[in-house]
Each structure stands twice: as structure tokens, then as C-alpha cells.
Amino acid sequence: MSKPFPGDGVKVPYRADGISGLSASTIFDTLRTFRDELEQGQDADQKLPQDDELRHVRELESLDDPCPPWNGRPAQARFWDTFEASLMPRIVGAVQKALDRVTNTAGVPITVIGAKGSLEERTDDFREHILNSRPVVSISATGCLRRLFVTGAANAASLSVLVWLPNHPLHAAAVTVDSALMSDCTNAHRLLPDGTWMQMLGEPQLPDPEPGHIVLPKSVTGLEDRLRREYKNLIVVDDTSSTIIQAVLNRAVPAAIHVSEGVLNSAIVLVSAGHGMAVRLYSNGGAVTRPWDASKILYKAATGSTPFVEGLVIARDEVTARRLGRLVEDETDRFEQLGLTDDFDDEDL
């Protein structure tokens, strides 16, 4: 891993940025491995996990059966079910293995969570590690990983990574099959195609925004008509995190409305702020959230100090963020006055 941050993980321990960079680059490489396996087959020299070895032996034994149990459509469905179930354990396992090879400033091994458990259970586990000063990495999938590999669309899913080491601010990374970005409250880095982490200094080098586009989550209803009067092209998606990475942070879409499912799925908040985007919470009266504020919001939510505010506007500049925020607030107020808050309430934001 080529990096512009201190430490080598051997003689000089990694700080939170080094751990975040190693975790994100490992996830990025693992996603590419999954894609290669689907397109080219698994490397014959690659050692299979024990469960896969046992399954392979049983499949070979079934060849003598005149009526094998898995053929045609059932076999196809079984393959994808098995593949989907293996994704997070393999991703988390790869990151844990990579982190076990390096040292960190905490001086103790890092726990990687995300292979099992509900979002609520993993959030409680993450919180317990922080409150007990134990280093921890959370890896959480947003969107649908199965759809990502079925369709090949990079905006179908992303991985939200939160890294906490004692005496360090929270570090965050967001990874798609095509991109990896990370940030804390003071620095931001982008993974280049050659595997080098480039520190982002000054304004991001992106195409001029195309003002007619906006990203809107499917879960937010009632805004489409109003927004279509302001934006010609509404990009309505299931997973806004991956689409924000692909379309706003990497390309020319000027703004997005983002709805998360909790703090572990919200690395995009700190990543966006760190990479020069204007991040505006619905409830803060129009103030734009700076990277340090975004870090504090995530940390306080992760530790249970404050509830996590899930509704966000993420835009290329403050003017666009404020303008879009006003549109959302005005439309929300109108729905409340009409008594239609069941269709558009705080839980949906």
C-alpha cells in the first residue's frame, strides 16, 4: 500500500489514517477479486476456506448420484445465495487478516466487526469497544452487494468503514468497486487506480457540476414533483452512499439528498465533508457541517451521546446545499400543514 501518511505498520505503528487506508484498500482489492472470480473463475492455486473445501468435496461425491440434488434454476439460485452469504465474512476476514500483520498506536490487536449480526447489534458492539478504549474497525454494507455483482453497477452498493483508535479522532472510508475515499476531521485521501493513496489538498479536481441533476433516495417520497421543477434529471436510487461517491464526489452531479440507516452506514458524511463537499443537516438551521463537525456528529452517535440525525444534503458548494435544503424544508412544512406527515416524516429523513 503506497501512502502519504506516517507509519509502516512494522517499525513505526500505524495511526488511525494508516489503519483506515489499509482497511479500505483491502476492501477495494477484495471487491475486485469477487468480480474477477465471477468473470474468470476462482484461481486454482488459491486456497479455499474450510467451509468451501467441504462443500466442494460433497459436490464431487454427488456426481455419482444419478439425480444430483442441485441442477438448473435451483443450482443457480443456490450459487447466488451462497455467494451473497460469503461476501461480508470474506471482506471482514480479509481486513482482519491484513490488520493482524501490522502494528498500531494502540499497541493491541484491532477488532473488525461486520461479518455477522444485525446493524443494531454491530452498533452496540462498536460502541462498547470505544467506551472501553479498545481499537475497532466497523465495515458495513449499504445498498445490495448481491445486486452489485449481478448487474455490475457500481452504484448498487458501497462499504462504509469507521475506524477508531484511542487518542485519535474517528476516521471514515467509503468504498465502491470502482473507488475508495477516506477522511478524518483534517485530512482526506483518494485511492488511485495504481493503488496509491493521494492526499487531497485544496479544492477537489472535478468537472464543473451539471446543474440539472440531483440524487434522490427512493425512500423519500413526496419531493419528486417539486424537485423536478428545479432539476431536470432526478437520479432516484436505493443506495445514495454509493451514488454520491460515483456521481457527486467523483463526477459532475452537483447535489444529493442522503438518507442513512444508522451511524455505521454513514461514513459518507465525514468522507464527503473531508473531500470538500458542503454537508448540511436538515435540522441545523442551514449551517454547513465542516469535517470536524461531521466527525463529532458520528462520534457522538457511535458512543450513544446523541441520536444520529439521518437526513442530509450533500452538495458541491454551500449555495447549492442551502438552496436544496430550503426546498426540502419548505416541502416538509407543506406536507405537515396538509396533514400528510405519515408519507414524509422524520423517520424517512
Side-chain angles (χ1 to χ4, degrees):
M1 178 180 66
S2 179
K3 55 196 179 346
F5 33 80
D8 59 7
V10 183
K11 294 182 179 179
V12 180
Y14 277 142
R15 307 181 315 185
D17 50 6
I19 296 299
S20 183
L22 180 56
S23 300
S25 60
T26 301
I27 293 169
F28 183 77
D29 291 343
T30 304
L31 292 178
R32 292 297 184 96
T33 297
F34 292 151
R35 188 171 66 181
D36 291 344
E37 287 178 2
L38 290 172
E39 295 175 355
Q40 305 169 18
Q42 199 166 33
D43 185 349
D45 295 328
Q46 179 180 339
K47 181 175 176 54
L48 293 172
Q50 187 173 357
D51 290 346
D52 286 353
E53 287 183 351
L54 181 59
R55 178 170 55 83
H56 184 60
V57 170
R58 287 176 176 170
E59 287 174 347
L60 290 175
E61 290 175 346
S62 71
L63 294 177
D64 294 331
D65 190 336
C67 185
W70 301 105
N71 282 306
R73 185 168 181 173
Q76 296 163 2
R78 179 172 177 261
F79 167 81
W80 281 104
D81 289 344
T82 302
F83 177 74
E84 181 179 26
S86 74
L87 291 174
M88 286 307 296
R90 287 182 64 184
I91 290 170
V92 171
V95 173
Q96 184 71 72
K97 187 175 181 180
L99 296 183
D100 287 344
R101 298 193 190 103
V102 300
T103 59
N104 66 83
T105 56
V108 295
I110 297 176
T111 299
V112 183
I113 63 175
K116 59 184 178 180
S118 66
L119 181 60
E120 182 178 359
E121 291 169 338
R122 288 183 280 113
T123 302
D124 290 341
D125 193 9
F126 191 72
R127 177 175 300 129
E128 182 181 350
H129 277 77
I130 294 178
L131 295 178
N132 288 281
S133 295
R134 299 196 304 264
V136 61
V137 173
S138 167
I139 303 172
S140 189
T142 69
C144 179
L145 288 173
R146 181 169 180 156
R147 186 181 304 122
L148 169 66
F149 291 106
V150 169
T151 66
N155 62 356
S158 67
L159 281 303
S160 172
V161 183
L162 295 181
V163 175
W164 186 82
L165 267 65
N167 303 315
H168 287 272
L170 198 67
H171 215 288
V175 185
T176 73
V177 74
D178 286 341
S179 182
L181 305 99
M182 65 179 192
S183 179
D184 63 2
C185 54
T186 57
N187 292 294
H189 297 83
R190 179 185 297 268
L191 187 65
L192 300 179
D194 64 359
T196 300
W197 282 103
M198 179 178 69
Q199 186 171 9
M200 306 302 292
L201 301 172
E203 293 296 322
Q205 296 180 351
L206 296 171
D208 285 343
E210 201 288 283
H213 288 74
I214 187 175
V215 173
L216 180 68
K218 285 183 180 178
S219 58
V220 174
T221 58
L223 281 177
E224 292 93 333
D225 290 342
R226 175 65 181 271
L227 291 176
R228 286 188 196 280
R229 294 198 293 270
E230 305 287 338
Y231 299 93
K232 295 180 181 179
N233 297 285
L234 263 62
I235 307 168
V236 183
V237 296
D238 289 307
D239 178 46
T240 50
S241 288
S242 56
T243 308
I244 289 167
I245 295 168
Q246 297 299 114
V248 181
L249 273 72
N250 289 349
R251 293 182 176 83
V253 172
I257 294 174
H258 173 65
V259 177
S260 73
E261 297 175 352
V263 64
L264 296 190
N265 285 358
S266 300
I268 191 66
V269 178
L270 181 51
V271 168
S272 296
H275 281 264
M277 301 295 118
V279 179
R280 180 188 182 277
L281 291 149
Y282 291 155
S283 60
N284 67 352
V288 170
T289 302
R290 303 300 178 186
W292 181 253
D293 299 315
S295 179
K296 288 193 293 185
I297 288 168
L298 291 177
Y299 179 80
K300 289 181 177 180
T303 56
S305 301
T306 60
F308 183 62
V309 181
E310 298 184 343
L312 295 168
V313 170
I314 296 175
R316 291 277 292 272
D317 59 79
E318 292 190 18
V319 172
T320 302
R322 293 177 186 276
R323 179 168 173 267
L324 180 54
R326 284 196 296 270
L327 288 174
V328 174
E329 287 179 339
D330 291 347
E331 199 68 5
T332 303
D333 291 342
R334 186 178 73 83
F335 270 73
E336 290 176 348
Q337 292 170 6
L338 294 173
L340 299 177
T341 52
D342 287 342
D343 294 326
F344 191 93
D345 55 27
D346 290 341
E347 292 181 356
D348 289 325
L349 292 177

